[in-house]
Amino acid sequence: MRNISQPEFGRQLKRLRDRAGLKQADLAGGPVSPSYISRLESGTRIPSRETVTHLAEVLQVSVEQLVEPDDAESEFPHDAALVAANIALADGDYAQVVDLLEGKSTEREPLCEWQALWLLSVAYRELRKPDRQAEFLRRLTELNGLDTTIDVQVRLFAELAGVERSLGNLAESLAAGRRAAALLQTSSTSHPELAVRSALALLASETEAGFAAEASERIPSLLAQAKNVPARLRAQALWAAAGVYVRCGLAERGMVLIEQALTELDSRDDLLAWARLRIAAASLSLRARPSVTPRLEVWLDEAESALRFVGHQAHEAELGAVRARVYLLTERYREALECAQAALESGTLAHHDRARTELVHASALIGLGEVTSGRDIFRRVAIESEAAGFLDLAAEAWKALATTNTDGRA
């Protein structure tokens, strides 16, 4: 019997099974189970000699017919690890994607290497490891000699802009966001969804860099494009636009958009996105009107209930960071401190969220009488944010420091 390779064997097995009019369960018995047949056909397992003999007998074909792929199939090279990785990604087994692909991409043809790097970036995004995600996205931007479409390149740079921003690399985020926008201008076809993703990436970076006024000029175009995209992305566009308006001092206009965003998503369609939108709405409401309203508390309670079913530690940290701000406003300093500490200790907050939570942590310390420690945090956050280019955040930290006296009074 010749050496068996996957996924060729899996395709041949499925072809012969379909030809015989059999189900996967019909092939079970002896050394194999129905689930094992599924793995064989998907190309993720290499069968033993005993298994091949059993399958050939059930299918009423020779062993040679089973292990030899059709000529039409054998003309095309395949990468079994990529096939298995795509299956693992679809199944949500992100660690398996990493196990299958990491450290092996140099052995592949350029197009297969591109796909492997992209799959690894997606896996690390879902594993909440933005530093590793960024590593593979950067390698994709450096991969030469591939005739990738404009659409693919725009998506790549928009994704990179977002992860660089979450890591605090604002200059790199701005560069990637602007590259995505420039590439989109060269496209000869209209892609509303791609245009919205590209605009969102640049909007967030510009706002954090202190260019909120410039970012606000992009909002009419963004919202016009968002009318033609899926509800989840449309809600994200409204949420982002609301944030820019609030930063520009247009609080009422921003709150109108966030209320509109809340109507776009049904919890039955995407419970996690529905919950995160409520966290975002509460956060923006606190920036627009620094007061705790019944509506804001409902949003947070709804988000908390939903996250019990679908949340990840990162989402719980986002919720905790907003809860800390609520406690701070109501002068419940001990609870504010504990919530802020828990969110920070999770290690999952994006750079900008982490820095703002540190400001809450500092204010809670001052409220509890630890004035010097709180002021030290204000100063550190201001210096670090300024150095990283987060000018809006730096201004917020310097203002907090300047308006807090050494005795803790504002």
Side-chain angles (χ1 to χ4, degrees):
M1 185 174 73
R2 57 166 279 179
N3 290 332
I4 294 173
S5 62
Q6 285 283 31
E8 290 86 350
F9 175 82
R11 287 196 297 274
Q12 180 72 343
L13 173 60
K14 185 178 187 306
R15 189 181 303 107
L16 292 174
R17 178 174 64 78
D18 289 342
R19 188 181 300 169
L22 300 175
K23 298 178 181 178
Q24 289 182 341
D26 296 328
L27 301 185
V32 298
S33 64
S35 61
Y36 188 61
I37 297 296
S38 177
R39 293 188 184 97
L40 288 175
E41 290 190 354
S42 67
T44 60
R45 293 291 185 275
I46 300 292
S48 65
R49 183 183 295 272
E50 182 183 12
T51 298
V52 172
T53 301
H54 165 79
L55 293 172
E57 289 175 357
V58 176
L59 290 166
Q60 298 183 354
V61 298
S62 68
V63 168
E64 287 72 22
Q65 283 178 286
L66 180 56
V67 301
E68 291 282 351
D70 288 354
D71 289 342
E73 288 292 320
S74 63
E75 292 174 3
F76 301 97
H78 296 277
D79 189 318
L82 278 176
V83 173
N86 273 291
I87 293 168
L89 192 68
D91 290 342
D93 191 349
Y94 308 116
Q96 177 70 357
V97 175
V98 173
D99 290 342
L100 286 164
L101 299 179
E102 190 159 18
K104 304 182 179 92
S105 62
T106 55
E107 303 167 7
R108 297 187 172 88
E109 293 297 319
L111 285 173
C112 289
E113 183 177 0
W114 203 101
Q115 186 182 7
L117 292 173
W118 178 258
L119 290 175
L120 283 165
S121 76
V122 173
Y124 276 121
R125 180 189 68 202
E126 298 303 321
L127 290 168
R128 304 296 190 277
K129 295 185 178 180
D131 53 337
R132 301 307 311 280
Q133 180 193 0
E135 174 188 337
F136 288 103
L137 290 173
R138 291 172 194 138
R139 285 174 60 181
L140 280 168
T141 67
E142 297 165 359
L143 199 58
N144 297 318
L146 291 180
D147 187 21
T148 53
T149 65
I150 294 296
D151 297 4
V152 168
Q153 293 179 58
V154 171
R155 185 177 178 186
L156 167 59
F157 282 101
E159 190 83 8
L160 181 59
V163 72
E164 292 284 22
R165 174 175 166 267
S166 76
L167 291 170
N169 303 327
L170 195 54
E172 291 81 357
S173 176
L174 275 168
R178 287 168 176 163
R179 179 74 184 277
L183 285 166
L184 192 64
Q185 293 298 316
T186 68
S187 178
S188 58
T189 55
S190 174
H191 302 279
E193 188 169 341
L194 204 58
V196 168
R197 292 188 185 281
S198 172
L200 285 174
L202 186 53
L203 204 71
S205 299
E206 287 182 330
T207 304
E208 290 293 350
F211 304 133
E214 290 86 341
S216 68
E217 295 175 1
R218 302 181 187 276
I219 290 178
S221 174
L222 169 65
L223 296 183
Q225 294 278 9
K227 293 177 181 178
N228 303 308
V229 301
R232 179 178 176 180
L233 187 57
R234 185 162 57 251
Q236 191 177 349
L238 288 164
W239 153 11
V244 174
Y245 280 145
V246 169
R247 295 282 187 87
C248 291
L250 302 171
E252 293 305 318
R253 188 181 297 184
M255 293 311 299
V256 167
L257 289 182
I258 201 67
E259 290 282 1
Q260 187 180 340
L262 289 166
T263 67
E264 292 288 344
L265 282 180
D266 191 310
S267 61
R268 293 169 295 184
D269 297 330
D270 191 331
L271 185 57
L272 180 57
W274 183 88
R276 293 194 71 200
L277 186 55
R278 274 148 181 76
I279 297 172
S283 179
L284 274 178
S285 179
L286 289 172
R287 289 183 67 89
R289 297 185 292 261
S291 62
V292 180
T293 64
R295 180 87 165 119
L296 182 149
E297 291 182 320
V298 168
W299 289 333
L300 292 180
D301 289 343
E302 288 176 338
E304 185 173 6
S305 297
L307 292 183
R308 292 194 188 106
F309 299 97
V310 295
H312 179 275
Q313 184 184 18
H315 307 125
E316 292 171 0
E318 290 172 359
L319 176 61
V322 179
R323 287 276 193 207
R325 290 163 62 189
V326 169
Y327 291 140
L328 185 66
L329 275 173
T330 53
E331 298 185 357
R332 294 157 69 180
Y333 299 121
R334 179 61 59 187
E335 289 157 292
L337 184 67
E338 290 172 356
C339 264
Q341 284 179 330
L344 292 168
E345 288 170 3
S346 74
T348 60
L349 292 177
H351 178 273
H352 42 287
D353 291 331
R354 185 172 65 251
R356 287 196 170 85
T357 304
E358 286 192 277
L359 296 182
V360 173
H361 180 230
S363 296
L365 284 172
I366 291 171
L368 291 169
E370 298 183 39
V371 180
T372 301
S373 296
R375 286 174 58 83
D376 285 347
I377 294 173
F378 284 151
R379 185 178 293 103
R380 175 175 55 78
V381 172
I383 293 170
E384 290 176 353
S385 298
E386 201 168 86
F390 286 79
L391 303 183
D392 190 57
L393 186 54
E396 192 175 331
W398 284 124
K399 181 180 178 181
L401 180 64
T403 56
T404 303
N405 298 324
T406 55
D407 61 0
R409 292 177 300 171

